Amino acid sequence: MSEDNPSAHTRAEILVQALPHMQRYDEEVVVIKYGGHAMGDKDAAKDFAEDVVLLEQSGLKPIVVHGGGPQIGRMLEKLGIKSEFRAGLRVTDEATVEIVEMVLAGSINKQIVGWISGQGGRAIGMCGKDGNMVRAKKISRTVIDPDSKIEEIVDLGFVGEPEQVNRGILDAVLKSELIPVLAPVAVGHDSQTYNVNADTFAGAISGAMHAKRLLLLTDVPGVLDKDKNLIPELTIDQCRHLIADGTITGGMIPKIETCIYALEQGVEGVVILDGKVPHATLLELFTDHGAGTLIRR
């Protein structure tokens, strides 16, 4: 019997292994941040949509938060709008924030809703502005000038971070047995639209919802040690140590900071895993060996 057509015995074994995990997550909220290059792969997108539908049908309450950096970049280039990154974030002026909202809350959001609907799920696309679900505040970052070595404040324009989450909107959606698909666009108290980093947005949502798990689907297997081997499990203290000794660097640092924030807000565990692995979400939640790096308090 081929692996593509497993025997009834094999199927039974899979279900026996998955059942305790399904019971553990029954009626629990799981927030999944979906982004990276996996979003551009049709097969990976189908696998992801299947996973989300199966989670909902198995009694979990999945909430999807998505990014869209590459798609935003392509649209800005097509429209001849120059964009730059400073301190790891896209500088977002008035023209850029309009494109960000159009791509994130428009085309990408509805595409993911369509993928999930195509697999038999009932998804609803939203962004942080809907029902004042997420209030944002403007952020700034500091960088060291390479010549003068002087620290300077960088104005990132309309880039924000979540300040307040109204979970009542999401509670109502979940009660209706719908799958929320959220674009990381929010409004400030000044009525200005802000572009929010998708990882940060997902961390805020998972914290407000007291999620059982926050899954960050990325382009890497998880957190790697200095020999590039996967670290299967970490605590907050161990994460801080690995940042201090230079093991965790670059773009992984803000992801880890999001993980720590979510855990401190009451999320039980956060997992960083490779979104390009087929059915990575199911492997993590419904199998003994899991996938990626699990971070706990």
Side-chain angles (χ1 to χ4, degrees):
M1 191 74 66
S2 72
E3 290 186 3
D4 292 333
N5 187 22
S7 67
H9 180 72
T10 300
R11 289 173 180 158
E13 286 185 338
I14 292 170
L15 288 173
V16 167
Q17 185 182 130
L19 185 58
H21 300 281
M22 291 179 176
Q23 292 171 331
R24 182 198 306 169
Y25 291 107
D26 187 44
E27 294 296 309
E28 297 284 358
V29 172
V30 174
V31 178
I32 308 166
K33 185 268 178 171
Y34 180 50
H37 297 292
M39 288 179 63
D41 184 294
K42 288 186 178 180
D43 290 334
K46 180 182 176 183
D47 287 344
F48 174 76
E50 286 178 344
D51 288 0
V52 171
V53 173
L54 183 57
L55 293 181
E56 198 275 332
Q57 292 175 343
S58 300
L60 284 74
K61 298 178 179 179
I63 297 174
V64 177
V65 175
H66 64 82
Q71 294 90 332
I72 292 169
R74 287 196 292 271
M75 181 59 73
L76 290 171
E77 186 177 349
K78 184 183 294 186
L79 296 175
I81 299 173
K82 292 185 178 180
S83 180
E84 64 172 322
F85 284 83
R86 301 199 68 185
L89 295 171
R90 186 189 302 274
V91 177
T92 307
D93 60 16
E94 193 167 354
T96 303
V97 78
E98 289 185 11
I99 303 304
V100 167
E101 183 171 15
M102 179 181 73
V103 174
L104 289 179
S107 58
I108 295 177
N109 188 268
K110 301 314 173 191
Q111 186 178 48
I112 296 173
V113 168
W115 291 337
I116 293 172
S117 299
Q119 298 303 318
R122 296 172 63 233
I124 181 169
M126 307 170 71
C127 75
K129 295 171 71 172
D130 293 315
N132 285 330
M133 184 197 330
V134 179
R135 285 282 189 178
K137 63 179 180 180
K138 179 181 172 69
I139 63 171
S140 61
R141 289 287 187 267
T142 58
V143 296
I144 305 295
D145 184 270
D147 298 322
S148 66
K149 306 301 181 185
I150 296 175
E151 188 175 69
E152 60 178 19
I153 296 175
V154 178
D155 185 353
L156 297 166
F158 300 116
V159 176
E161 62 184 3
E163 184 176 35
Q164 182 181 359
V165 177
N166 175 8
R167 64 168 290 169
I169 305 295
L170 291 171
D171 284 331
V173 170
L174 293 173
K175 188 176 181 180
S176 300
E177 299 184 350
L178 295 169
I179 300 170
V181 179
L182 309 181
V185 177
V187 68
H189 290 287
D190 55 0
S191 300
Q192 175 59 53
T193 298
Y194 287 97
N195 177 20
V196 180
N197 175 273
D199 288 340
T200 306
F201 194 95
I205 293 293
S206 63
M209 299 300 294
H210 302 297
K212 184 84 168 180
R213 282 285 186 274
L214 166 61
L215 306 184
L216 298 178
L217 301 188
T218 68
D219 299 327
V220 295
V223 181
L224 307 179
D225 63 22
K226 288 187 176 180
D227 295 322
K228 304 303 180 185
N229 296 313
L230 178 68
I231 303 173
E233 192 164 337
L234 288 168
T235 64
I236 290 177
D237 287 342
Q238 288 171 331
C239 287
R240 288 174 172 150
H241 175 74
L242 292 176
I243 291 173
D245 74 6
T247 301
I248 296 176
T249 60
M252 186 57 73
I253 292 177
K255 288 188 184 298
I256 294 296
E257 290 173 344
T258 291
C259 296
I260 292 173
Y261 169 83
L263 292 168
E264 290 177 340
Q265 295 301 308
V267 176
E268 185 181 284
V270 184
V271 185
I272 299 175
L273 65 163
D274 191 346
K276 301 190 299 298
V277 174
H279 301 294
T281 302
L282 295 185
L283 288 172
E284 171 55 36
L285 295 176
F286 288 166
T287 69
D288 292 335
H289 58 77
T293 300
L294 170 64
I295 303 172
R296 300 179 186 268
R297 274 167 283 185

mmCIF file of all heavy atoms in Angstrom, residues 168-199:
data_model
loop_
_atom_site.group_PDB
_atom_site.id
_atom_site.type_symbol
_atom_site.label_atom_id
_atom_site.label_comp_id
_atom_site.label_asym_id
_atom_site.label_seq_id
_atom_site.Cartn_x
_atom_site.Cartn_y
_atom_site.Cartn_z
ATOM 1 N N GLY A 168 -14.613 41.441 21.725
ATOM 2 C CA GLY A 168 -16.030 41.159 21.552
ATOM 3 C C GLY A 168 -16.403 40.890 20.101
ATOM 4 O O GLY A 168 -17.274 40.056 19.823
ATOM 5 N N ILE A 169 -15.752 41.598 19.181
ATOM 6 C CA ILE A 169 -16.013 41.382 17.748
ATOM 7 C C ILE A 169 -15.656 39.947 17.364
ATOM 8 O O ILE A 169 -16.432 39.247 16.706
ATOM 9 C CB ILE A 169 -15.189 42.363 16.891
ATOM 10 C CG1 ILE A 169 -15.443 43.819 17.304
ATOM 11 C CG2 ILE A 169 -15.474 42.150 15.400
ATOM 12 C CD1 ILE A 169 -16.843 44.286 17.059
ATOM 13 N N LEU A 170 -14.482 39.490 17.790
ATOM 14 C CA LEU A 170 -14.026 38.142 17.444
ATOM 15 C C LEU A 170 -14.841 37.080 18.164
ATOM 16 O O LEU A 170 -15.123 36.020 17.596
ATOM 17 C CB LEU A 170 -12.542 37.995 17.766
ATOM 18 C CG LEU A 170 -11.607 38.801 16.870
ATOM 19 C CD1 LEU A 170 -10.181 38.781 17.403
ATOM 20 C CD2 LEU A 170 -11.639 38.264 15.438
ATOM 21 N N ASP A 171 -15.229 37.344 19.411
ATOM 22 C CA ASP A 171 -16.076 36.389 20.133
ATOM 23 C C ASP A 171 -17.388 36.158 19.383
ATOM 24 O O ASP A 171 -17.863 35.022 19.259
ATOM 25 C CB ASP A 171 -16.379 36.904 21.546
ATOM 26 C CG ASP A 171 -15.199 36.752 22.497
ATOM 27 O OD1 ASP A 171 -14.395 35.823 22.293
ATOM 28 O OD2 ASP A 171 -15.084 37.564 23.430
ATOM 29 N N ALA A 172 -17.965 37.238 18.862
ATOM 30 C CA ALA A 172 -19.228 37.124 18.132
ATOM 31 C C ALA A 172 -19.056 36.325 16.846
ATOM 32 O O ALA A 172 -19.907 35.494 16.490
ATOM 33 C CB ALA A 172 -19.773 38.513 17.823
ATOM 34 N N VAL A 173 -17.946 36.560 16.155
ATOM 35 C CA VAL A 173 -17.671 35.836 14.909
ATOM 36 C C VAL A 173 -17.469 34.347 15.190
ATOM 37 O O VAL A 173 -18.024 33.480 14.509
ATOM 38 C CB VAL A 173 -16.437 36.430 14.197
ATOM 39 C CG1 VAL A 173 -16.009 35.543 13.036
ATOM 40 C CG2 VAL A 173 -16.738 37.837 13.701
ATOM 41 N N LEU A 174 -16.675 34.042 16.219
ATOM 42 C CA LEU A 174 -16.406 32.638 16.557
ATOM 43 C C LEU A 174 -17.673 31.927 17.023
ATOM 44 O O LEU A 174 -17.878 30.744 16.722
ATOM 45 C CB LEU A 174 -15.326 32.553 17.634
ATOM 46 C CG LEU A 174 -13.927 33.017 17.213
ATOM 47 C CD1 LEU A 174 -12.988 33.041 18.412
ATOM 48 C CD2 LEU A 174 -13.342 32.135 16.106
ATOM 49 N N LYS A 175 -18.519 32.644 17.749
ATOM 50 C CA LYS A 175 -19.780 32.049 18.218
ATOM 51 C C LYS A 175 -20.663 31.659 17.046
ATOM 52 O O LYS A 175 -21.458 30.716 17.129
ATOM 53 C CB LYS A 175 -20.504 33.043 19.132
ATOM 54 C CG LYS A 175 -21.725 32.453 19.829
ATOM 55 C CD LYS A 175 -22.347 33.448 20.800
ATOM 56 C CE LYS A 175 -23.559 32.844 21.505
ATOM 57 N NZ LYS A 175 -24.185 33.808 22.467
ATOM 58 N N SER A 176 -20.524 32.381 15.938
ATOM 59 C CA SER A 176 -21.300 32.081 14.730
ATOM 60 C C SER A 176 -20.657 30.971 13.903
ATOM 61 O O SER A 176 -21.105 30.696 12.783
ATOM 62 C CB SER A 176 -21.434 33.350 13.878
ATOM 63 O OG SER A 176 -22.089 34.370 14.590
ATOM 64 N N GLU A 177 -19.602 30.351 14.456
ATOM 65 C CA GLU A 177 -18.882 29.253 13.788
ATOM 66 C C GLU A 177 -18.303 29.687 12.443
ATOM 67 O O GLU A 177 -18.304 28.936 11.467
ATOM 68 C CB GLU A 177 -19.787 28.024 13.641
ATOM 69 C CG GLU A 177 -20.257 27.466 14.979
ATOM 70 C CD GLU A 177 -21.082 26.195 14.848
ATOM 71 O OE1 GLU A 177 -21.448 25.843 13.697
ATOM 72 O OE2 GLU A 177 -21.351 25.567 15.877
ATOM 73 N N LEU A 178 -17.818 30.928 12.418
ATOM 74 C CA LEU A 178 -17.101 31.443 11.267
ATOM 75 C C LEU A 178 -15.613 31.491 11.583
ATOM 76 O O LEU A 178 -15.214 31.553 12.757
ATOM 77 C CB LEU A 178 -17.599 32.851 10.920
ATOM 78 C CG LEU A 178 -19.053 32.977 10.463
ATOM 79 C CD1 LEU A 178 -19.468 34.438 10.415
ATOM 80 C CD2 LEU A 178 -19.254 32.313 9.108
ATOM 81 N N ILE A 179 -14.793 31.460 10.552
ATOM 82 C CA ILE A 179 -13.339 31.523 10.716
ATOM 83 C C ILE A 179 -12.887 32.936 10.360
ATOM 84 O O ILE A 179 -12.949 33.337 9.194
ATOM 85 C CB ILE A 179 -12.640 30.496 9.796
ATOM 86 C CG1 ILE A 179 -13.100 29.080 10.140
ATOM 87 C CG2 ILE A 179 -11.122 30.623 9.923
ATOM 88 C CD1 ILE A 179 -12.654 28.023 9.121
ATOM 89 N N PRO A 180 -12.434 33.722 11.338
ATOM 90 C CA PRO A 180 -11.980 35.084 11.025
ATOM 91 C C PRO A 180 -10.630 35.064 10.305
ATOM 92 O O PRO A 180 -9.712 34.357 10.720
ATOM 93 C CB PRO A 180 -11.831 35.747 12.403
ATOM 94 C CG PRO A 180 -12.419 34.791 13.394
ATOM 95 C CD PRO A 180 -12.350 33.439 12.772
ATOM 96 N N VAL A 181 -10.544 35.825 9.240
ATOM 97 C CA VAL A 181 -9.289 36.012 8.512
ATOM 98 C C VAL A 181 -8.967 37.504 8.597
ATOM 99 O O VAL A 181 -9.686 38.333 8.036
ATOM 100 C CB VAL A 181 -9.416 35.559 7.043
ATOM 101 C CG1 VAL A 181 -8.107 35.796 6.294
ATOM 102 C CG2 VAL A 181 -9.807 34.083 6.966
ATOM 103 N N LEU A 182 -7.897 37.844 9.311
ATOM 104 C CA LEU A 182 -7.642 39.230 9.684
ATOM 105 C C LEU A 182 -6.444 39.825 8.958
ATOM 106 O O LEU A 182 -5.358 39.241 8.948
ATOM 107 C CB LEU A 182 -7.402 39.326 11.197
ATOM 108 C CG LEU A 182 -8.445 38.662 12.105
ATOM 109 C CD1 LEU A 182 -8.078 38.875 13.565
ATOM 110 C CD2 LEU A 182 -9.844 39.203 11.814
ATOM 111 N N ALA A 183 -6.646 41.006 8.389
ATOM 112 C CA ALA A 183 -5.565 41.776 7.776
ATOM 113 C C ALA A 183 -5.016 42.754 8.813
ATOM 114 O O ALA A 183 -5.782 43.409 9.515
ATOM 115 C CB ALA A 183 -6.068 42.535 6.556
ATOM 116 N N PRO A 184 -3.687 42.877 8.912
ATOM 117 C CA PRO A 184 -3.080 43.715 9.955
ATOM 118 C C PRO A 184 -3.070 45.205 9.626
ATOM 119 O O PRO A 184 -2.023 45.837 9.501
ATOM 120 C CB PRO A 184 -1.665 43.157 10.065
ATOM 121 C CG PRO A 184 -1.350 42.690 8.678
ATOM 122 C CD PRO A 184 -2.660 42.151 8.130
ATOM 123 N N VAL A 185 -4.259 45.740 9.466
ATOM 124 C CA VAL A 185 -4.455 47.172 9.243
ATOM 125 C C VAL A 185 -5.368 47.662 10.359
ATOM 126 O O VAL A 185 -6.381 47.017 10.660
ATOM 127 C CB VAL A 185 -5.115 47.440 7.876
ATOM 128 C CG1 VAL A 185 -5.387 48.928 7.692
ATOM 129 C CG2 VAL A 185 -4.230 46.922 6.749
ATOM 130 N N ALA A 186 -5.007 48.758 11.012
ATOM 131 C CA ALA A 186 -5.791 49.240 12.149
ATOM 132 C C ALA A 186 -5.916 50.753 12.083
ATOM 133 O O ALA A 186 -5.254 51.419 11.286
ATOM 134 C CB ALA A 186 -5.142 48.806 13.463
ATOM 135 N N VAL A 187 -6.781 51.279 12.930
ATOM 136 C CA VAL A 187 -7.021 52.719 12.968
ATOM 137 C C VAL A 187 -6.590 53.260 14.327
ATOM 138 O O VAL A 187 -6.700 52.574 15.341
ATOM 139 C CB VAL A 187 -8.513 53.046 12.688
ATOM 140 C CG1 VAL A 187 -9.400 52.570 13.821
ATOM 141 C CG2 VAL A 187 -8.714 54.519 12.419
ATOM 142 N N GLY A 188 -6.080 54.484 14.334
ATOM 143 C CA GLY A 188 -5.657 55.110 15.573
ATOM 144 C C GLY A 188 -6.734 56.007 16.145
ATOM 145 O O GLY A 188 -7.785 56.235 15.528
ATOM 146 N N HIS A 189 -6.496 56.543 17.336
ATOM 147 C CA HIS A 189 -7.448 57.466 17.950
ATOM 148 C C HIS A 189 -7.545 58.765 17.136
ATOM 149 O O HIS A 189 -8.500 59.523 17.288
ATOM 150 C CB HIS A 189 -7.023 57.770 19.390
ATOM 151 C CG HIS A 189 -7.196 56.598 20.302
ATOM 152 N ND1 HIS A 189 -8.430 56.158 20.739
ATOM 153 C CD2 HIS A 189 -6.288 55.751 20.849
ATOM 154 C CE1 HIS A 189 -8.284 55.108 21.514
ATOM 155 N NE2 HIS A 189 -6.991 54.834 21.617
ATOM 156 N N ASP A 190 -6.549 58.969 16.262
ATOM 157 C CA ASP A 190 -6.570 60.133 15.379
ATOM 158 C C ASP A 190 -7.305 59.857 14.071
ATOM 159 O O ASP A 190 -7.253 60.652 13.139
ATOM 160 C CB ASP A 190 -5.137 60.589 15.083
ATOM 161 C CG ASP A 190 -4.269 59.456 14.510
ATOM 162 O OD1 ASP A 190 -4.783 58.319 14.335
ATOM 163 O OD2 ASP A 190 -3.070 59.693 14.259
ATOM 164 N N SER A 191 -7.966 58.680 14.004
ATOM 165 C CA SER A 191 -8.713 58.233 12.807
ATOM 166 C C SER A 191 -7.808 57.927 11.625
ATOM 167 O O SER A 191 -8.284 57.740 10.504
ATOM 168 C CB SER A 191 -9.780 59.267 12.397
ATOM 169 O OG SER A 191 -10.714 59.459 13.450
ATOM 170 N N GLN A 192 -6.508 57.862 11.849
ATOM 171 C CA GLN A 192 -5.550 57.562 10.792
ATOM 172 C C GLN A 192 -5.395 56.045 10.655
ATOM 173 O O GLN A 192 -5.388 55.317 11.642
ATOM 174 C CB GLN A 192 -4.185 58.185 11.122
ATOM 175 C CG GLN A 192 -3.073 57.833 10.143
ATOM 176 C CD GLN A 192 -3.406 58.278 8.731
ATOM 177 O OE1 GLN A 192 -3.739 59.428 8.497
ATOM 178 N NE2 GLN A 192 -3.298 57.359 7.778
ATOM 179 N N THR A 193 -5.271 55.581 9.423
ATOM 180 C CA THR A 193 -5.018 54.170 9.155
ATOM 181 C C THR A 193 -3.539 53.865 9.352
ATOM 182 O O THR A 193 -2.682 54.610 8.874
ATOM 183 C CB THR A 193 -5.438 53.807 7.723
ATOM 184 O OG1 THR A 193 -6.843 54.029 7.571
ATOM 185 C CG2 THR A 193 -5.130 52.356 7.408
ATOM 186 N N TYR A 194 -3.259 52.745 10.026
ATOM 187 C CA TYR A 194 -1.871 52.353 10.283
ATOM 188 C C TYR A 194 -1.588 50.956 9.750
ATOM 189 O O TYR A 194 -2.411 50.038 9.865
ATOM 190 C CB TYR A 194 -1.566 52.396 11.783
ATOM 191 C CG TYR A 194 -1.442 53.799 12.330
ATOM 192 C CD1 TYR A 194 -2.528 54.412 12.957
ATOM 193 C CD2 TYR A 194 -0.259 54.514 12.217
ATOM 194 C CE1 TYR A 194 -2.427 55.710 13.447
ATOM 195 C CE2 TYR A 194 -0.139 55.805 12.700
ATOM 196 C CZ TYR A 194 -1.226 56.393 13.314
ATOM 197 O OH TYR A 194 -1.122 57.677 13.796
ATOM 198 N N ASN A 195 -0.403 50.816 9.173
ATOM 199 C CA ASN A 195 0.132 49.532 8.742
ATOM 200 C C ASN A 195 0.793 48.880 9.959
ATOM 201 O O ASN A 195 1.675 49.461 10.580
ATOM 202 C CB ASN A 195 1.158 49.783 7.625
ATOM 203 C CG ASN A 195 1.837 48.522 7.144
ATOM 204 O OD1 ASN A 195 1.339 47.419 7.337
ATOM 205 N ND2 ASN A 195 2.996 48.681 6.522
ATOM 206 N N VAL A 196 0.364 47.673 10.305
ATOM 207 C CA VAL A 196 0.882 46.981 11.487
ATOM 208 C C VAL A 196 1.603 45.709 11.045
ATOM 209 O O VAL A 196 1.111 44.968 10.189
ATOM 210 C CB VAL A 196 -0.254 46.623 12.466
ATOM 211 C CG1 VAL A 196 0.297 45.908 13.697
ATOM 212 C CG2 VAL A 196 -1.018 47.880 12.881
ATOM 213 N N ASN A 197 2.768 45.455 11.624
ATOM 214 C CA ASN A 197 3.485 44.211 11.346
ATOM 215 C C ASN A 197 2.584 43.023 11.682
ATOM 216 O O ASN A 197 1.963 42.978 12.752
ATOM 217 C CB ASN A 197 4.766 44.175 12.175
ATOM 218 C CG ASN A 197 5.508 42.863 12.045
ATOM 219 O OD1 ASN A 197 5.234 41.917 12.762
ATOM 220 N ND2 ASN A 197 6.447 42.814 11.115
ATOM 221 N N ALA A 198 2.502 42.051 10.773
ATOM 222 C CA ALA A 198 1.558 40.942 10.937
ATOM 223 C C ALA A 198 1.876 40.083 12.164
ATOM 224 O O ALA A 198 0.960 39.606 12.847
ATOM 225 C CB ALA A 198 1.547 40.076 9.678
ATOM 226 N N ASP A 199 3.166 39.860 12.452
ATOM 227 C CA ASP A 199 3.529 39.091 13.647
ATOM 228 C C ASP A 199 3.042 39.804 14.901
ATOM 229 O O ASP A 199 2.467 39.195 15.807
ATOM 230 C CB ASP A 199 5.045 38.901 13.728
ATOM 231 C CG ASP A 199 5.581 37.929 12.697
ATOM 232 O OD1 ASP A 199 4.784 37.128 12.177
ATOM 233 O OD2 ASP A 199 6.792 37.960 12.414
#
